[in-house]
Amino acid sequence: MDFTSADGEQRYADLVAHAESVIVGLDFDGTLAPIVDDPGSAHIHPEAPEVLTDLAEVVRAVAVVTGRPARQALALGGLDEVGDAIGGRGRELYLFGQYGNERWTSTNRRVITPRPPAGLATFERELPRVLRGADAAEAFVEDKGLAVAVHTRRLDDPDGAFERLVKPIGDLAERHGLTVEPGRQVLEVRSHGMHKGLVVEYLAEHLEAGGFLFAGDDLGDLEAFEAVLDLRSRGLSTLLVCSASREQSALRDLADVVVAGPDGVLDLLRQLTRDAA
């Protein structure tokens, strides 16, 4: 792992010293699972289940915090089985889907989810016209139930299509009282009022955290990073981990540690488990 400063190295040492009270929050895509062209095939890294199970023994809690629907993350991550393994060691796995709108734990196996936001169905009906107008009619549209994601990764010019879509999709979302969350070649439209930062705040308060590590890879994790920085300002031991790739990462400047994608994230978690044992 590459620390971004001497302060980052010290923060890691402090986190190890307080490991028993530390919550580890992890994004899914780009952090636990490699980024792929087809979102439906973004399976968790094959070594992640064992790493997360071992980690759970030395920290307060492990939580997966993702923009994906919770049931989809459960299936692609095999998180039911991971939860069983963690439960077998007397700990609990937390899953927050759709930026925290959906919740699941390995103790209570039911996904708690609200109704879809008002305006989302109308937005989706009007979306094809916007895509055609931006010369991106072939963009992949993913219906997440509580959100709609427009992926440009499969197009011939994914970055160009993404830039052309930012304003018209933003305008359409605003007309229907929705918000846009940009990511790696994806624009996700959902309701206002929930983001990963609120999940960090909830976990820290609900589990009485003495420290917090969060690992993410793109703009959808920015609020989580900011919430961890707020915990840091209140005296908690914290560590921010950027799961970087060849694509631009929006989180590098805030991170204490930069690692190379899911492989690097798992290497860091293995090291944390060894150092805290």
Coordinates of all heavy atoms in Angstrom, one line a residue, residues 146-215:
L146 N -35.1 1.5 -7.1 CA -35.2 2.8 -6.4 C -34.4 3.9 -7.2 O -34.3 5.0 -6.7 CB -34.6 2.7 -5.0 CG -35.3 1.8 -4.0 CD1 -34.7 1.8 -2.7 CD2 -36.8 2.1 -3.9
A147 N -33.8 3.5 -8.3 CA -32.9 4.4 -9.0 C -32.8 3.9 -10.5 O -33.2 2.7 -10.8 CB -31.5 4.5 -8.4
V148 N -32.4 4.7 -11.4 CA -32.1 4.4 -12.8 C -30.7 4.8 -13.1 O -30.3 6.0 -12.8 CB -33.1 5.0 -13.7 CG1 -32.6 4.8 -15.2 CG2 -34.5 4.5 -13.5
A149 N -29.9 3.9 -13.6 CA -28.5 4.2 -13.9 C -28.3 4.1 -15.4 O -28.7 3.1 -16.1 CB -27.5 3.2 -13.2
V150 N -27.6 5.1 -16.0 CA -27.3 5.1 -17.4 C -25.8 4.9 -17.5 O -25.0 5.7 -17.1 CB -27.7 6.5 -18.0 CG1 -27.3 6.5 -19.5 CG2 -29.2 6.7 -17.8
H151 N -25.4 3.8 -18.1 CA -24.0 3.4 -18.3 C -23.5 3.7 -19.7 O -24.2 3.3 -20.7 CB -23.8 1.9 -18.0 CG -24.2 1.5 -16.6 ND1 -23.3 1.3 -15.6 CD2 -25.4 1.1 -16.1 CE1 -23.9 0.9 -14.5 NE2 -25.2 0.8 -14.8
T152 N -22.4 4.4 -19.8 CA -21.8 4.6 -21.2 C -20.6 3.8 -21.5 O -20.0 3.9 -22.6 CB -21.4 6.1 -21.3 OG1 -20.3 6.4 -20.4 CG2 -22.6 7.0 -21.0
R153 N -20.2 2.9 -20.6 CA -19.0 2.1 -20.7 C -19.0 1.3 -22.0 O -17.9 1.1 -22.6 CB -18.8 1.2 -19.5 CG -17.5 0.5 -19.4 CD -17.4 -0.3 -18.1 NE -17.2 0.7 -17.0 CZ -16.1 1.2 -16.6 NH1 -15.0 0.8 -17.2 NH2 -16.0 2.0 -15.6
R154 N -20.1 0.8 -22.5 CA -20.1 -0.1 -23.6 C -20.1 0.7 -25.0 O -19.9 0.1 -26.0 CB -21.4 -0.9 -23.6 CG -21.6 -1.8 -22.4 CD -22.9 -2.6 -22.5 NE -23.2 -3.4 -21.3 CZ -24.3 -4.1 -21.2 NH1 -25.2 -4.1 -22.1 NH2 -24.5 -4.8 -20.1
L155 N -20.2 2.0 -24.9 CA -20.3 2.8 -26.2 C -18.9 3.0 -26.7 O -17.9 2.8 -26.0 CB -20.9 4.1 -25.9 CG -22.4 4.1 -25.3 CD1 -22.9 5.5 -25.1 CD2 -23.3 3.3 -26.3
D156 N -18.8 3.3 -28.0 CA -17.5 3.5 -28.7 C -16.7 4.6 -28.1 O -15.5 4.6 -28.0 CB -17.8 3.8 -30.2 CG -18.3 2.6 -30.9 OD1 -18.1 1.5 -30.4 OD2 -18.9 2.8 -32.0
D157 N -17.4 5.7 -27.6 CA -16.7 6.8 -27.0 C -17.4 7.1 -25.6 O -18.2 8.0 -25.4 CB -16.8 8.1 -27.9 CG -16.2 9.3 -27.2 OD1 -15.4 9.1 -26.3 OD2 -16.5 10.4 -27.7
P158 N -17.1 6.2 -24.6 CA -17.8 6.3 -23.4 C -17.6 7.6 -22.6 O -18.6 8.1 -22.1 CB -17.2 5.1 -22.6 CG -15.9 4.8 -23.2 CD -16.1 5.1 -24.7
D159 N -16.4 8.2 -22.6 CA -16.2 9.4 -21.9 C -17.0 10.6 -22.6 O -17.6 11.4 -22.0 CB -14.7 9.7 -21.8 CG -14.0 8.7 -20.9 OD1 -14.6 8.3 -19.9 OD2 -12.8 8.5 -21.1
G160 N -16.9 10.6 -24.0 CA -17.6 11.6 -24.7 C -19.1 11.6 -24.5 O -19.8 12.6 -24.3
A161 N -19.7 10.3 -24.5 CA -21.1 10.2 -24.3 C -21.5 10.6 -22.9 O -22.5 11.2 -22.7 CB -21.5 8.7 -24.5
F162 N -20.6 10.2 -21.9 CA -20.9 10.6 -20.5 C -21.0 12.1 -20.4 O -21.9 12.7 -19.8 CB -19.8 10.1 -19.6 CG -19.9 10.5 -18.2 CD1 -20.6 9.7 -17.3 CD2 -19.3 11.6 -17.7 CE1 -20.7 10.0 -16.0 CE2 -19.4 12.0 -16.4 CZ -20.1 11.2 -15.5
E163 N -20.0 12.9 -21.0 CA -20.0 14.3 -20.9 C -21.3 14.9 -21.6 O -21.8 15.9 -21.1 CB -18.8 14.9 -21.5 CG -17.5 14.5 -20.8 CD -17.5 15.1 -19.3 OE1 -18.1 16.1 -19.1 OE2 -17.0 14.4 -18.4
R164 N -21.7 14.3 -22.7 CA -22.9 14.9 -23.4 C -24.1 14.6 -22.6 O -25.1 15.4 -22.8 CB -23.0 14.2 -24.8 CG -21.9 14.6 -25.8 CD -22.3 14.1 -27.2 NE -22.6 12.7 -27.4 CZ -21.6 11.8 -27.6 NH1 -20.4 12.1 -27.7 NH2 -22.0 10.5 -27.7
L165 N -24.1 13.6 -21.8 CA -25.4 13.3 -21.0 C -25.5 14.0 -19.7 O -26.6 14.0 -19.2 CB -25.4 11.8 -20.8 CG -25.8 10.9 -22.0 CD1 -25.5 9.4 -21.7 CD2 -27.2 11.1 -22.4
V166 N -24.4 14.5 -19.2 CA -24.5 15.1 -17.8 C -25.6 16.1 -17.7 O -26.4 16.1 -16.8 CB -23.1 15.7 -17.4 CG1 -23.2 16.5 -16.2 CG2 -22.1 14.6 -17.2
K167 N -25.6 17.1 -18.6 CA -26.6 18.2 -18.5 C -28.0 17.8 -18.8 O -28.9 18.0 -18.0 CB -26.2 19.4 -19.3 CG -27.1 20.6 -19.1 CD -26.6 21.8 -19.9 CE -27.4 23.0 -19.5 NZ -28.9 22.8 -19.5
P168 N -28.2 17.1 -19.9 CA -29.6 16.8 -20.2 C -30.2 15.8 -19.2 O -31.4 15.9 -18.8 CB -29.6 16.1 -21.6 CG -28.2 15.8 -21.9 CD -27.4 16.8 -21.1
I169 N -29.5 14.8 -18.7 CA -30.0 13.9 -17.7 C -30.2 14.7 -16.4 O -31.2 14.5 -15.7 CB -29.1 12.7 -17.5 CG1 -29.2 11.8 -18.7 CG2 -29.3 12.0 -16.2 CD1 -28.4 10.5 -18.6
G170 N -29.3 15.6 -16.1 CA -29.4 16.4 -14.9 C -30.7 17.3 -14.9 O -31.4 17.4 -14.0
D171 N -30.9 17.9 -16.1 CA -32.1 18.7 -16.3 C -33.4 17.9 -16.1 O -34.4 18.3 -15.5 CB -32.1 19.4 -17.6 CG -31.0 20.4 -17.7 OD1 -30.5 20.9 -16.7 OD2 -30.7 20.8 -18.9
L172 N -33.4 16.7 -16.8 CA -34.6 15.8 -16.7 C -34.8 15.3 -15.2 O -36.0 15.3 -14.8 CB -34.4 14.6 -17.6 CG -35.6 13.6 -17.7 CD1 -36.8 14.3 -18.2 CD2 -35.2 12.4 -18.6
A173 N -33.8 15.0 -14.5 CA -33.9 14.6 -13.2 C -34.5 15.7 -12.3 O -35.4 15.5 -11.5 CB -32.5 14.1 -12.6
E174 N -34.0 16.9 -12.5 CA -34.4 18.0 -11.7 C -35.9 18.3 -11.9 O -36.6 18.6 -11.0 CB -33.6 19.3 -12.1 CG -33.9 20.5 -11.2 CD -33.1 21.7 -11.5 OE1 -32.2 21.6 -12.5 OE2 -33.2 22.7 -10.8
R175 N -36.4 18.1 -13.2 CA -37.8 18.4 -13.4 C -38.7 17.4 -12.7 O -39.8 17.7 -12.4 CB -38.1 18.2 -14.9 CG -37.6 19.4 -15.8 CD -38.3 19.5 -17.1 NE -38.1 18.4 -17.9 CZ -37.1 18.2 -18.8 NH1 -36.1 19.1 -18.8 NH2 -37.0 17.1 -19.5
H176 N -38.1 16.2 -12.3 CA -38.9 15.2 -11.6 C -38.6 15.1 -10.2 O -38.9 14.1 -9.5 CB -38.8 13.9 -12.4 CG -39.4 13.9 -13.7 ND1 -40.8 14.0 -13.9 CD2 -38.8 13.9 -15.0 CE1 -41.0 14.0 -15.3 NE2 -39.8 13.9 -15.9
G177 N -37.8 16.1 -9.7 CA -37.5 16.1 -8.2 C -36.5 15.1 -7.8 O -36.5 14.6 -6.7
L178 N -35.6 14.7 -8.7 CA -34.6 13.6 -8.5 C -33.2 14.2 -8.5 O -33.0 15.4 -8.9 CB -34.8 12.5 -9.5 CG -36.1 11.9 -9.6 CD1 -36.2 11.0 -10.9 CD2 -36.4 11.0 -8.4
T179 N -32.3 13.5 -8.0 CA -30.9 13.9 -8.0 C -30.0 12.9 -8.9 O -30.4 11.8 -9.1 CB -30.3 14.0 -6.6 OG1 -29.1 14.6 -6.6 CG2 -30.2 12.6 -6.0
V180 N -28.9 13.4 -9.3 CA -28.0 12.6 -10.2 C -26.7 12.4 -9.4 O -26.1 13.3 -8.9 CB -27.6 13.3 -11.5 CG1 -26.7 12.5 -12.3 CG2 -28.9 13.6 -12.3
E181 N -26.3 11.1 -9.4 CA -25.0 10.7 -8.7 C -24.1 10.2 -9.9 O -24.3 9.2 -10.4 CB -25.2 9.6 -7.8 CG -24.0 9.1 -7.0 CD -23.6 10.1 -5.9 OE1 -24.5 10.4 -5.1 OE2 -22.5 10.6 -5.9
P182 N -23.0 11.0 -10.2 CA -22.1 10.5 -11.2 C -21.1 9.5 -10.7 O -20.7 9.6 -9.5 CB -21.4 11.8 -11.7 CG -21.4 12.7 -10.4 CD -22.7 12.3 -9.7
G183 N -20.7 8.6 -11.6 CA -19.7 7.6 -11.2 C -18.8 7.4 -12.4 O -18.6 8.2 -13.3
R184 N -18.1 6.2 -12.4 CA -17.2 5.9 -13.5 C -18.1 5.6 -14.8 O -18.6 4.5 -14.8 CB -16.3 4.7 -13.2 CG -15.3 5.0 -12.2 CD -14.3 3.8 -12.1 NE -13.4 3.8 -11.0 CZ -12.5 2.9 -10.7 NH1 -12.4 1.9 -11.5 NH2 -11.7 3.0 -9.7
Q185 N -18.2 6.5 -15.7 CA -18.9 6.3 -16.9 C -20.4 5.8 -16.6 O -20.9 5.0 -17.3 CB -18.2 5.3 -17.8 CG -16.8 5.8 -18.3 CD -16.0 4.8 -19.0 OE1 -16.3 3.6 -19.0 NE2 -14.9 5.3 -19.6
V186 N -20.9 6.4 -15.6 CA -22.3 6.1 -15.2 C -22.9 7.3 -14.5 O -22.3 8.0 -13.8 CB -22.4 4.8 -14.3 CG1 -21.7 5.0 -13.0 CG2 -23.9 4.5 -14.0
L187 N -24.2 7.5 -14.8 CA -25.0 8.6 -14.2 C -26.2 7.9 -13.5 O -27.0 7.3 -14.2 CB -25.5 9.6 -15.2 CG -24.4 10.5 -15.8 CD1 -24.9 11.2 -17.1 CD2 -23.8 11.5 -14.8
E188 N -26.3 8.0 -12.2 CA -27.4 7.3 -11.5 C -28.4 8.4 -11.0 O -28.0 9.3 -10.4 CB -26.8 6.5 -10.3 CG -27.9 5.8 -9.6 CD -27.4 4.6 -8.7 OE1 -26.5 3.9 -9.2 OE2 -27.9 4.5 -7.6
V189 N -29.6 8.1 -11.3 CA -30.7 9.1 -10.9 C -31.5 8.4 -9.8 O -32.0 7.3 -10.0 CB -31.6 9.4 -12.1 CG1 -32.7 10.3 -11.7 CG2 -30.7 10.1 -13.2
R190 N -31.7 9.2 -8.7 CA -32.4 8.6 -7.5 C -33.0 9.8 -6.7 O -32.9 10.9 -7.1 CB -31.4 7.8 -6.7 CG -30.2 8.5 -6.2 CD -29.2 7.6 -5.6 NE -27.9 8.3 -5.2 CZ -27.7 8.9 -4.1 NH1 -28.7 9.1 -3.2 NH2 -26.5 9.5 -3.9
S191 N -33.6 9.4 -5.6 CA -34.2 10.4 -4.8 C -33.2 11.2 -4.0 O -32.0 10.8 -3.8 CB -35.2 9.8 -3.8 OG -34.5 8.9 -2.9
H192 N -33.6 12.4 -3.6 CA -32.7 13.2 -2.7 C -32.7 12.6 -1.3 O -33.6 11.8 -0.9 CB -33.2 14.6 -2.6 CG -33.1 15.4 -3.8 ND1 -32.0 16.1 -4.2 CD2 -34.0 15.6 -4.8 CE1 -32.2 16.7 -5.3 NE2 -33.4 16.5 -5.8
G193 N -31.7 13.0 -0.5 CA -31.8 12.7 1.0 C -31.1 11.5 1.5 O -31.1 11.3 2.7
M194 N -30.4 10.7 0.7 CA -29.7 9.6 1.2 C -28.4 9.5 0.4 O -28.4 9.6 -0.8 CB -30.5 8.3 1.1 CG -29.7 7.1 1.5 SD -29.1 7.2 3.2 CE -30.6 7.0 4.2
H195 N -27.3 9.3 1.1 CA -26.0 9.0 0.5 C -25.1 8.3 1.5 O -25.5 8.0 2.6 CB -25.3 10.4 0.1 CG -25.2 11.4 1.2 ND1 -24.4 11.2 2.3 CD2 -25.9 12.5 1.4 CE1 -24.5 12.3 3.1 NE2 -25.4 13.1 2.6
K196 N -24.0 7.8 1.0 CA -23.1 7.0 1.8 C -22.6 7.7 3.1 O -22.2 7.0 4.0 CB -21.9 6.4 0.9 CG -22.4 5.5 -0.2 CD -21.2 4.9 -0.9 CE -21.6 4.0 -2.0 NZ -20.5 3.4 -2.7
G197 N -22.5 9.0 3.0 CA -22.0 9.7 4.2 C -23.0 9.5 5.4 O -22.6 9.4 6.5
L198 N -24.3 9.4 5.1 CA -25.3 9.2 6.2 C -25.1 7.8 6.7 O -25.4 7.6 7.9 CB -26.7 9.5 5.6 CG -27.0 10.9 5.2 CD1 -28.4 11.0 4.6 CD2 -26.8 11.8 6.4
V199 N -24.7 6.8 5.9 CA -24.5 5.5 6.3 C -23.3 5.5 7.3 O -23.4 4.8 8.4 CB -24.3 4.5 5.2 CG1 -23.9 3.1 5.7 CG2 -25.5 4.5 4.2
V200 N -22.3 6.2 7.0 CA -21.1 6.2 7.9 C -21.5 6.8 9.2 O -21.2 6.3 10.3 CB -20.0 7.1 7.2 CG1 -18.9 7.4 8.3 CG2 -19.4 6.4 6.0
E201 N -22.3 7.9 9.2 CA -22.7 8.5 10.4 C -23.6 7.6 11.2 O -23.5 7.5 12.5 CB -23.5 9.8 10.1 CG -22.6 10.9 9.5 CD -23.5 12.1 9.0 OE1 -24.7 12.1 9.3 OE2 -22.9 13.0 8.4
Y202 N -24.5 6.9 10.6 CA -25.4 5.9 11.3 C -24.6 4.8 11.9 O -24.8 4.5 13.1 CB -26.4 5.3 10.3 CG -27.1 4.1 10.8 CD1 -28.2 4.3 11.6 CD2 -26.7 2.8 10.5 CE1 -28.9 3.2 12.2 CE2 -27.4 1.7 11.0 CZ -28.5 1.9 11.8 OH -29.1 0.8 12.3
L203 N -23.7 4.2 11.2 CA -22.9 3.1 11.7 C -22.0 3.6 12.9 O -21.9 2.9 13.9 CB -22.0 2.5 10.6 CG -22.7 1.6 9.6 CD1 -21.7 1.4 8.4 CD2 -23.1 0.3 10.2
A204 N -21.4 4.7 12.8 CA -20.5 5.2 13.8 C -21.3 5.5 15.1 O -20.9 5.1 16.2 CB -19.9 6.5 13.4
E205 N -22.6 6.0 15.0 CA -23.4 6.2 16.2 C -24.0 4.9 16.7 O -23.9 4.6 17.9 CB -24.5 7.2 15.8 CG -25.4 7.6 17.0 CD -26.4 8.6 16.7 OE1 -26.4 9.2 15.6 OE2 -27.2 8.9 17.6
H206 N -24.6 4.1 15.8 CA -25.3 2.9 16.2 C -24.4 1.9 16.8 O -24.8 1.2 17.8 CB -26.0 2.3 15.0 CG -26.8 1.1 15.2 ND1 -27.9 1.1 16.0 CD2 -26.6 -0.2 14.8 CE1 -28.4 -0.1 16.0 NE2 -27.6 -0.9 15.3
L207 N -23.2 1.8 16.3 CA -22.2 0.8 16.8 C -21.2 1.4 17.8 O -20.2 0.7 18.2 CB -21.5 0.1 15.7 CG -22.5 -0.7 14.7 CD1 -21.7 -1.3 13.6 CD2 -23.3 -1.7 15.5
E208 N -21.3 2.6 18.1 CA -20.4 3.3 19.0 C -18.9 3.1 18.6 O -18.1 2.6 19.3 CB -20.6 2.8 20.5 CG -22.0 3.1 21.0 CD -22.2 2.6 22.4 OE1 -21.4 1.8 22.9 OE2 -23.2 3.0 23.0
A209 N -18.7 3.5 17.4 CA -17.4 3.3 16.8 C -16.3 4.1 17.5 O -16.5 5.2 17.9 CB -17.4 3.7 15.3
G210 N -15.1 3.5 17.6 CA -13.9 4.2 18.1 C -13.0 4.5 17.0 O -11.9 5.1 17.2
G211 N -13.3 4.0 15.8 CA -12.5 4.3 14.6 C -13.3 3.9 13.4 O -14.3 3.1 13.4
F212 N -12.8 4.4 12.2 CA -13.6 4.1 11.0 C -12.6 4.0 9.8 O -11.8 5.0 9.6 CB -14.6 5.1 10.7 CG -15.9 4.6 10.0 CD1 -17.1 4.5 10.7 CD2 -15.8 4.2 8.7 CE1 -18.2 4.0 10.1 CE2 -16.9 3.7 8.0 CZ -18.1 3.6 8.7
L213 N -12.6 3.0 9.0 CA -11.9 2.9 7.8 C -13.0 2.8 6.7 O -13.9 2.0 6.8 CB -11.0 1.6 7.7 CG -10.2 1.3 6.4 CD1 -9.0 0.5 6.8 CD2 -11.0 0.6 5.3
F214 N -12.8 3.6 5.6 CA -13.7 3.5 4.5 C -12.8 3.4 3.2 O -11.9 4.2 3.0 CB -14.6 4.7 4.3 CG -15.8 4.4 3.4 CD1 -17.0 3.8 3.8 CD2 -15.6 4.6 2.0 CE1 -18.0 3.5 2.9 CE2 -16.6 4.3 1.1 CZ -17.8 3.8 1.6
A215 N -13.2 2.4 2.3 CA -12.5 2.3 1.1 C -13.5 2.4 -0.1 O -14.5 1.8 -0.1 CB -11.8 0.9 1.0

